[in-house]
Amino acid sequence: MEPRKLTRNQTLVLETLTHAEAPLSAYTILDKLRDHGFRAPLQVYRALEKLTEFGIVHRLESLNAFVACTHPHDHGPEKAVIAFAICEDCGQVSEISDPEIEDRLAVLATKQQFKTDKTTIEMRGHCGNCTA
Amino acid sequence: MEPRKLTRNQTLVLETLTHAEAPLSAYTILDKLRDHGFRAPLQVYRALEKLTEFGIVHRLESLNAFVACTHPHDHGPEKAVIAFAICEDCGQVSEISDPEIEDRLAVLATKQQFKTDKTTIEMRGHCGNCTA
DNA sequence: ATTCTCAATGTTATGTTATTACATCAATTG
DNA sequence: CAATTGATGTAATAACATAACATTGAGAAT
Ligand SMILES: [Zn+2]
Ligand SMILES: [Zn+2]
Ligand SMILES: [Zn+2]
Ligand SMILES: [Zn+2]
């Protein structure tokens, strides 16, 4: 799914996420976009669904929240496995794309004939800034 | 947190999960336990919280659901990193504890001075049985 | 045995996240 | 101009989770 031209709603949601310092929930995005005509959750969820398909927004499962992609990895159909390091203090999220992890998980899956569609890796903890 | 003696509610919730063939949501557990006197979500959530602390139940973040542990790994304070392979067809969940993955994630975290508290790894896909 | 304490429980209400259903609109195309 | 397709608007509801407060029950201290 290539990053084609975005619609108005998709653009607004993406900009909101891009300017945010931490992951945002769909409802937080909704609140931030009320002034731009957003009225209902679906307007946000529909935009998020597309943006996630395009690979320019990621959903953090352990947070029920979303971030704009900061690590322009493969946005094509061959999605790389991404690990997220999420700081509990400042909310900063860093993306890690590591072939070694990816390969090892592939080996482990194959070993039990498991066909992986999507992989979630999320580390919750404290970033360098917040530990210093 | 050692697996000490379980309370009545904890036992009921754990048994429900143990007998289930797939991950269960808190509300599904609640419904299954109505006959045993359960009336409110909190009764389930409180039991799940403890069982998860004890390490004998796991929460699947990408599913908002819970499973009984099937792979008696380290239940002590030193919790191992567990990867889950979750079949979209039959719901079967297998637990994978792999030092190689664990070490590699530790290296990647350390590289950016990230201190990890908890790691989530979930693979969604199709198990051997369901692909055959 | 009586009191104290703390963890677990019961109950109600509320907060948060996500989807269903249906009507409308706008761009593309034959 | 239909007809199709994808996006949008809106209301209602479903699904997941927690806050607040009262009560109970088992073990420790006296
Ligand atoms: Zn990314
Ligand atoms: Zn931080
Ligand atoms: Zn386990
Ligand atoms: Zn299966």
Side-chain angles (χ1 to χ4, degrees):
Chain A
M1 205 67 80
E2 282 304 307
R4 48 176 172 178
K5 196 162 185 299
L6 300 182
T7 67
R8 171 182 160 77
N9 284 2
Q10 288 161 14
T11 303
L12 286 167
V13 168
L14 178 58
E15 279 175 0
T16 304
L17 283 173
T18 301
H19 296 142
E21 308 233 313
L24 299 180
S25 76
Y27 278 78
T28 302
I29 295 170
L30 174 57
D31 285 340
K32 288 182 184 291
L33 289 177
R34 297 243 184 234
D35 294 344
H36 294 269
F38 274 49
R39 312 290 309 263
L42 255 202
Q43 297 177 279
V44 178
Y45 280 109
R46 289 203 274 228
L48 287 172
E49 183 183 10
K50 290 300 182 184
L51 293 168
T52 301
E53 272 179 33
F54 301 158
I56 53 187
V57 161
H58 303 295
R59 176 187 169 83
L60 300 176
E61 300 289 352
S62 67
L63 242 44
N64 292 332
F66 302 82
V67 287
C69 177
T70 57
H71 172 248
H73 38 69
D74 194 351
H75 279 177
E78 286 298 312
K79 300 249 174 102
V81 171
I82 307 162
F84 298 93
I86 305 166
C87 180
E88 307 275 9
D89 293 327
C90 67
Q92 183 187 104
V93 176
S94 71
E95 298 190 18
I96 303 168
S97 187
D98 183 65
E100 210 168 302
I101 295 276
E102 196 165 347
D103 290 349
R104 184 61 185 158
L105 282 176
V107 166
L108 293 170
T110 303
K111 218 180 256 181
Q112 53 181 74
Q113 287 124 28
F114 187 86
K115 283 257 171 278
T116 306
D117 289 337
K118 185 173 191 327
T119 300
T120 297
I121 306 179
E122 297 177 14
M123 292 183 282
R124 305 281 298 269
H126 304 273
C127 76
N129 283 340
C130 294
T131 325
Chain B
M1 206 66 81
E2 282 305 306
R4 48 178 171 176
K5 196 164 185 302
L6 300 183
T7 67
R8 170 182 161 76
N9 285 2
Q10 287 160 15
T11 303
L12 287 168
V13 168
L14 179 57
E15 280 175 358
T16 304
L17 283 173
T18 301
H19 296 141
E21 308 234 313
L24 299 180
S25 76
Y27 277 77
T28 302
I29 295 170
L30 174 57
D31 285 340
K32 287 182 184 291
L33 289 176
R34 297 242 184 236
D35 294 344
H36 294 268
F38 275 49
R39 312 288 309 267
L42 259 199
Q43 296 176 280
V44 178
Y45 280 109
R46 288 202 275 229
L48 287 172
E49 183 183 10
K50 289 299 182 186
L51 293 169
T52 301
E53 271 178 35
F54 301 159
I56 52 185
V57 161
H58 303 296
R59 176 186 169 83
L60 300 176
E61 300 288 354
S62 67
L63 243 43
N64 293 333
F66 303 82
V67 286
C69 177
T70 56
H71 172 248
H73 38 70
D74 194 350
H75 280 177
E78 286 297 313
K79 300 247 174 105
V81 171
I82 309 162
F84 298 93
I86 306 166
C87 179
E88 306 276 9
D89 292 328
C90 67
Q92 184 186 104
V93 176
S94 71
E95 297 190 21
I96 304 168
S97 187
D98 182 65
E100 209 169 302
I101 294 277
E102 196 164 348
D103 291 350
R104 183 62 185 158
L105 282 176
V107 166
L108 294 170
T110 302
K111 216 179 259 182
Q112 54 180 74
Q113 287 124 29
F114 187 87
K115 182 85 181 59
T116 305
D117 289 336
K118 183 172 192 326
T119 300
T120 298
I121 306 178
E122 297 177 15
M123 293 184 281
R124 306 280 297 270
H126 304 274
C127 76
N129 282 341
C130 293
T131 323

